[in-house]
Amino acid sequence: MGMSFEGQVVVVTGASRGIGRAIAQAFADQGARVACVATTIAGAKAAAEAIGPLATGFAADVSDSEQVAALFKELDQTYGQLDVLVNNAGITRDTLVLRMKDEDWDRVIAVNLRGTFLCTRAALKPMIKGRYGRVINVTSIIGQTGAAGQANYAASKAGVIGFTKSVAKEWGARGVTCNAVAPGFIETDMTADLGEDFRKHVTENAPAGRLGAATDISNAVLFLAAKESGYITGQVLTVDGGLTL
Ligand code: NAP
């Protein structure tokens, strides 16, 4: 199966760092023009410059309806087409439910779940018009298993899974697929503060015997985004080295 994305336009949110940056790089390596979205134009541009000439940086807070509308207007003016959207931007604000402040709940749901909705809604218009599209949402194994101290994050990521399946049902007949990738524990800024005990737990309990790399996730995203994956929709592809088996 070929994995060329030449001639395609791909939007990746949260592309300044970590998993999103690896996803943006992987698409550019396969010939796609990639819009790298982050909260600041400086962060987005720095990533795009490092990725290469096929990448361009754009700034938007994905939880903000007006900023997302302006972003997709700018993307339309820049590219005039949209083939792949990767909803990767995400945050954590971990604490036990009893101590969780309203804003800890609201912000995580706003970025992870509302952001996925806002960007997908905006991307669907050009995709439906072109009768082709691939939406890939980055959820988490925590959305399936739950985690003490991460009720807000788990709820947001479980919500992303329900959203993914609904979009798949709504737009499949127009050539648009919508799938999710559920990473386990991947080496990025988000997991940099995990203690040694937790790292040991993962390496001892995941059959793969290691934490994941951002490229483990980008490989899965590219597979789901390929033209040849058009008969796969509404699925959650877990990429966790077997940790949740
Ligand atoms: P990360 O290194 O912390 O990077 C987060 C990215 O999201 C950054 O590019 C950040 O941009 C962007 N972002 C945050 N809030 C945003 C907003 N409001 N609007 C637009 N962009 C925003 O995280 P990561 O580990 O790569 O995680 C990427 C995704 O994978 C997330 O959805 C996360 O939940 C999921 N995931 C990660 C793991 C893991 O082990 N790392 C496991 C399961 C799932 P700025 O640089 O501008 O802040």
Side-chain angles (χ1 to χ4, degrees), residues 141 184-185 198 201-203 205-207 240-245:
I141 55 168
F185 292 93
F198 191 82
H201 165 81
V202 174
T203 47
N205 289 284
D240 69 348
L243 182 66
T244 52
L245 284 175

Side-chain angles (χ1 to χ4, degrees), residues 14 16-17 19 39 60-62 88 139 153 157 184 186 188 190-191:
S16 55
R17 300 183 269 129
I19 293 171
T39 59
D61 175 346
V62 296
N88 164 81
T139 176
Y153 183 76
K157 294 300 190 181
I186 311 299
T188 69
M190 191 176 269
T191 49

Side-chain angles (χ1 to χ4, degrees), residues 13-14 19-20 23 62 86-94 105 107-117 136-147 150-165 179-184 186 190 217 235-238:
T13 67
I19 293 171
I23 293 169
V62 296
V86 184
N87 285 304
N88 164 81
I91 59 166
T92 52
R93 285 203 183 169
D94 298 352
W105 176 268
R107 189 65 192 147
V108 170
I109 299 290
V111 175
N112 299 4
L113 184 54
R114 179 181 157 88
T116 297
F117 155 64
I136 323 284
N137 298 324
V138 180
T139 176
S140 167
I141 55 168
I142 302 302
Q144 296 163 313
T145 64
Q150 291 198 300
N152 49 357
Y153 183 76
S156 73
K157 294 300 190 181
V160 165
I161 293 172
F163 179 75
T164 300
K165 294 180 182 186
N179 291 287
V181 170
I186 311 299
M190 191 176 269
I217 306 308
Q235 302 304 302
V236 182
L237 178 52
T238 299

Side-chain angles (χ1 to χ4, degrees), residues 210-233:
R210 62 173 175 87
L211 271 77
T215 49
D216 290 314
I217 306 308
S218 61
N219 289 336
V221 170
L222 260 69
F223 166 68
L224 291 170
K227 271 195 196 114
E228 293 83 349
S229 297
Y231 205 54
I232 304 172
T233 196

